[in-house]
Amino acid sequence: MSHHPSDIAAAFDDSPIMRQLHDLGGRRRRLEDVEIEFTGQTRVLTVSNQKGGVGKTTTTVNTAAAIAALGGRVLVIDLDPQGNASTALGIPHSADTTSIYDVLINDVSIADAVQQSPESDNLFCVPSTIHLAGAEIELVSQVAREKRLDTALREYLDGLEQPMDFVFIDCPPSLGLLTINAFSASDEVFLPIQAEYYALEGLSQLLGNVKMIQKHLNTRLRVSTILLTMFDGRTRLSQQVADEVRQHFPDEVLQTMIPRSVRVSEAPSFGQTVISYDGSSAGAIAYKEAAVEIVKRGAPRRKGRK
Ligand SMILES: Nc1ncnc2c1ncn2[C@@H]1O[C@H](COP(=O)(O)OP(=O)(O)O)[C@@H](O)[C@H]1O
Ligand SMILES: [Mg+2]
């Protein structure tokens, strides 16, 4: 039996998920009514997934921008040598820019490397430069090589007059010393999962790594937040993957799913997040909803202190 693609799309158009996806006007109005209070307690999240291209950087910059638009003070640490988060936040990051490389290797303070994003008074970024590509190897011979970001970040946060509400660390797709530094400096792991066939593959490895970090380097670390990205409501596959991820991680998965959207993928080439590039698009609305969920859920409770 064969279906014309548009027949399938039409059938799904009437499903609850498609109705939800399409009710952009209603969702926009509900977002306007949202009231958020920031506590001044800083939450530090590493955005990680060992797969490349699943939406880590996109999720980092758009969630950060959405929280900044809600009034939170947000720092993004670009820990990927590709520097895509810096680009999307409109932050210069040529080779001579003071960057996260200097923080990790040259004992430069974060205060001396941080820049404000042109997008918002509340949004800050420590950029990455091409030098970071060598850091993975240079770190090996450094004292306290797994804790250098943690130490620098604590010092920076403690010295702030106005606290940060959120720190998001954008990671490369590997478990090298850069990602280990991010995990050591964080309370939470924020895991974007692409709604596609191989989504769950490799996840047990990531969870194993998080366990290992918990045991040896950072007992605070928890996978607190999972976000389904590049969701395509017209395919059964996306829906099946979403269901399966929810079954495995009922408490961690956000209700909000990020749809596949051209506006989301275009924004970085304008040095913008989708929040400023096209704030009323489906992708921007979804990231704003995800941001509200993350803020409203609050920090996860520490183990043993229920
Ligand atoms: N919701 C989305 N809709 C369309 N394209 C997306 C979406 N999320 C990410 N992309 C695109 O997918 C690619 C990979 O995303 P990226 O965030 O760079 O992944 P990662 O950081 O995990 O490697 C990029 O080209 C990005 O623009
Ligand atoms: Mg990336």
Side-chain angles (χ1 to χ4, degrees), residues 52-53 55-58 80 82 84-85 170-173:
K56 289 183 291 297
T57 301
T58 305
D80 188 331
Q82 299 211 351
N84 294 337
D170 186 31
C171 280

Side-chain angles (χ1 to χ4, degrees), residues 48-51 173-176 179 183 189 191 199-213 223 249:
S48 177
N49 186 322
Q50 276 136 297
K51 284 193 187 178
S174 59
L175 188 85
T179 300
F183 282 156
V189 178
L191 179 63
L200 291 171
E201 205 171 76
L203 269 195
S204 59
Q205 197 196 348
L206 178 105
L207 298 177
N209 288 335
V210 170
K211 259 200 184 139
M212 185 181 71
I213 303 281
V223 177
F249 306 100

